[in-house]
Amino acid sequence: MPTHTITLRNGIEMPTLGQGTWFMGESFFEKKNEIAALQHGIDIGLTLIDTAEMYGNGGAEKVVGEAIAGRRDKIFLVSKVLPNHASLRGTVRAFEDSLKRLKTDYLDMYLLHWRGGYSLEETFEALEKLRQEGKIRSWGVSNFDTDDMQEAEEYDPDGNCCINQVLYNLGSRGIEWALIPWQKKRNIPVMAYSPLYQTRLLRSSGLVRIAQELSITPAQLALSWLLHQGTVPIPKSSNAQRIEENRKAWDIELSQEVLRELDRVFPPPTHKMPLDIL
């Protein structure tokens, strides 16, 4: 059975399945439903919430802030700084703005959303400053390929980078060739965004067939597979029933036979591939 938590390299415990918020906070008319959806997820144990200042131009963070009001202590909260804000001073400024929208005084994890014009040395200095001041409990990166992670290691001699959030799902397995093995050796987990490939996977006849044979939904199968890989999927949904289905992925045990069949339908990479990005 997939584990419900992992211990990061800095000793902090993190849930292995969460809720994403990409595309939330973009419509006033959806806000109430989005808040209710996140709260329902929290109620059934999905306490890891991932957001970013980019999502809805800060709107997603405001939605999250309302959803976690009165229950912040139960939440593992992740947000991200845009690369054009990721200077020494800009990172701190963006972070403080995120805190205001989220109505909290700390983050459990803060990520560089992707690489930009500022040096990793400068961005990491800002992230480490926030960590040492107790404003963030951990930090990491997002959309980093193997060569990016190797360079990042040069500016992180104490091993404080705790996670890399990248696109990873049954339909996009390129990181298994080099990136995942490199990170596993260093105890840096992968957080998988768009774990259902923005619902594209759910239209796969192979996935649907295997899920039907197991009497589970295609989404549950796709999420359970990611959990079996030791990664941290963060599906986004505003539908209460789907959120409940996502939560049950934690309780699904996939046999070696099923895993082999998934490899047949969704072949793993046979060579190094560029990092897939949405």
Side-chain angles (χ1 to χ4, degrees), residues 238-275:
S238 297
N239 180 290
Q241 182 180 340
R242 290 199 197 101
I243 292 168
E244 290 176 11
E245 289 174 0
N246 292 345
R247 160 64 182 80
K248 290 175 183 175
W250 252 334
D251 306 322
I252 296 168
E253 183 71 40
L254 300 180
S255 68
Q256 289 302 310
E257 182 182 357
V258 169
L259 293 171
R260 282 193 295 269
E261 179 63 8
L262 287 169
D263 281 346
R264 190 188 67 77
V265 177
F266 303 96
T270 57
H271 58 276
K272 174 76 172 76
M273 301 171 71
L275 186 69

Side-chain angles (χ1 to χ4, degrees), residues 81-278:
V81 58
L82 282 164
N84 58 306
H85 292 162
S87 65
L88 184 58
R89 291 183 179 179
T91 298
V92 175
R93 193 179 308 118
F95 169 77
E96 296 293 348
D97 288 343
S98 286
L99 287 192
K100 289 174 187 173
R101 290 187 290 266
L102 290 161
K103 298 177 182 176
T104 185
D105 55 3
Y106 76 98
L107 289 180
D108 296 281
M109 183 172 282
Y110 198 38
L111 311 179
L112 171 61
H113 209 149
W114 66 87
R115 294 196 68 171
Y118 293 106
S119 70
L120 294 181
E121 183 177 23
E122 182 173 2
T123 305
F124 287 3
E125 182 181 348
L127 293 170
E128 188 55 21
K129 178 176 182 289
L130 290 170
R131 190 189 70 83
Q132 290 178 1
E133 291 174 352
K135 295 178 179 179
I136 61 176
R137 298 175 68 213
S138 54
W139 58 265
V141 294
S142 181
N143 295 301
F144 272 42
D145 206 344
T146 313
D147 57 344
D148 299 309
M149 292 300 291
Q150 290 168 339
E151 183 182 344
E153 192 175 41
E154 297 176 22
Y155 301 109
D156 181 30
D158 297 326
N160 290 311
C161 178
C162 285
I163 211 153
N164 183 18
Q165 183 181 128
V166 294
L167 178 68
Y168 183 45
N169 53 61
L170 277 166
S172 177
R173 298 181 61 174
I175 64 170
E176 293 175 18
W177 185 261
L179 182 60
I180 286 183
W182 190 93
Q183 290 189 203
K184 277 186 175 178
K185 287 180 181 177
R186 292 156 181 82
N187 190 27
I188 303 174
V190 164
M191 186 181 288
Y193 77 79
S194 293
L196 305 178
Y197 225 158
Q198 294 183 335
T199 72
R200 279 181 243 173
L201 270 178
L202 305 184
R203 297 189 290 273
S204 162
S205 58
L207 186 72
V208 170
R209 174 181 57 79
I210 299 169
Q212 287 176 340
E213 290 170 358
L214 297 172
S215 299
I216 60 178
T217 69
Q220 287 172 333
L221 178 55
L223 293 173
S224 180
W225 178 83
L226 283 166
L227 291 167
H228 278 73
Q229 308 312 304
T231 60
V232 181
I234 44 170
K236 176 258 179 186
S237 180
S238 297
N239 180 290
Q241 182 180 340
R242 290 199 197 101
I243 292 168
E244 290 176 11
E245 289 174 0
N246 292 345
R247 160 64 182 80
K248 290 175 183 175
W250 252 334
D251 306 322
I252 296 168
E253 183 71 40
L254 300 180
S255 68
Q256 289 302 310
E257 182 182 357
V258 169
L259 293 171
R260 282 193 295 269
E261 179 63 8
L262 287 169
D263 281 346
R264 190 188 67 77
V265 177
F266 303 96
T270 57
H271 58 276
K272 174 76 172 76
M273 301 171 71
L275 186 69
D276 207 357
I277 296 173
L278 284 176

